[in-house]
């Protein structure tokens, strides 16, 4: 077995252990595809993140007690990138066997002046041309692909 393959297997084992220890299959998470100039914002998770370090994702997070999915999105966008989303729309909610429920939203940004919080180390705006250039957390790639194909909603 190659060293790279062993590293991938170890990452998967660590991810499953983290999920089991924190029982993430019981959580609901909200994520949002944020458009700016017809491109979607993606964030690179920090290299010390306990779940999926260095992977790319959308802005989002776990729904806190007493919060609904929309409130979570508004809070997470403010926390993670220091901006407020506009024209937020609920798209769908899925159940997963490993990461719990995921509520997907789309919205717009009025600015590309992103200020990252401690959770993320980088950001970029993508379109269909460079969608495949990134390594995403589970369940995000397909949503971004469909969302880009449909374009921003105003």
């Amino acid at each position: 077995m190659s060293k790279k393959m062993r590293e991938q297997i170890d990452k998967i084992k660590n991810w499953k252990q983290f999920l089991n220890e924190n029982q993430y299959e019981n959580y609901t998470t909200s994520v949002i595809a944020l458009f700016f100039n017809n491109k979607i914002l993606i964030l690179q998770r920090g290299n010390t993140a306990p779940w999926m370090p260095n992977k790319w994702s959308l802005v989002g997070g776990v729904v806190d007690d007493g919060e609904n999915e929309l409130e979570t999105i508004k809070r997470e966008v403010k926390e993670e990138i220091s901006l407020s989303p506009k024209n937020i729309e609920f798209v769908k909610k899925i159940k997963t066997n490993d990461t719990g429920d995921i509520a997907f939203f789309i919205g717009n940004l009025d600015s590309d002046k992103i200020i990252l919080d401690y959770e993320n180390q980088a950001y970029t705006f993508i379109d269909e041309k460079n969608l495949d250039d990134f390594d995403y957390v589970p369940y995000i790639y397909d949503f971004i692909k469909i969302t880009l194909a449909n374009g921003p909603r105003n």
Side-chain angles (χ1 to χ4, degrees):
M1 183 182 309
S2 72
K3 181 180 177 185
K4 186 172 183 173
M5 186 178 281
R6 265 191 299 255
E7 288 173 356
Q8 292 294 351
I9 289 170
D10 287 343
K11 283 182 184 180
I12 291 168
K13 286 179 183 175
N14 291 339
W15 171 60
K16 286 182 178 178
Q17 179 183 351
F18 176 79
L19 291 175
N20 288 337
E21 288 170 0
N22 293 284
Q23 298 179 340
Y24 270 82
E25 69 275 6
N26 298 322
Y27 286 93
T28 298
T29 305
S30 290
V31 297
I32 186 166
L34 291 165
F35 279 96
F36 182 79
N37 286 343
N38 296 318
K39 292 184 175 187
I40 290 178
L41 172 68
I42 60 171
L43 307 176
Q44 186 178 29
R45 297 177 53 75
N47 59 8
T48 61
W51 183 76
M52 297 281 153
N54 299 312
K55 301 276 186 173
W56 290 84
S57 190
L58 298 169
V59 174
V62 173
V63 176
D64 288 341
D65 289 338
E67 247 183 0
N68 63 41
E69 288 96 345
L70 178 59
E71 291 167 333
T72 298
I73 282 301
K74 290 177 180 178
R75 174 180 53 78
E76 290 288 346
V77 172
K78 192 72 169 159
E79 286 176 7
E80 291 187 14
I81 64 170
S82 296
L83 294 173
S84 296
K86 309 289 183 217
N87 307 318
I88 302 170
E89 253 183 72
F90 174 78
V91 177
K92 67 180 179 178
K93 187 174 185 177
I94 65 169
K95 287 192 174 297
T96 73
N97 293 328
D98 53 359
T99 60
D101 295 349
I102 305 172
F104 293 92
F105 291 83
I106 63 168
N108 298 313
L109 292 173
D110 288 339
S111 171
D112 64 349
K113 305 294 183 234
I114 307 297
I115 300 171
L116 293 176
D117 71 349
Y118 69 93
E119 293 180 37
N120 301 291
Q121 62 181 320
Y123 72 91
T124 192
F125 290 88
I126 61 168
D127 56 23
E128 290 170 320
K129 292 178 218 140
N130 63 344
L131 172 65
D132 293 330
D133 295 346
F134 302 90
D135 187 14
Y136 299 94
V137 301
Y139 307 104
I140 297 300
Y141 174 86
D142 290 335
F143 177 64
I144 293 173
K145 186 174 183 174
I146 291 167
T147 303
L148 283 167
N150 291 328
R153 299 180 188 156
N154 296 323

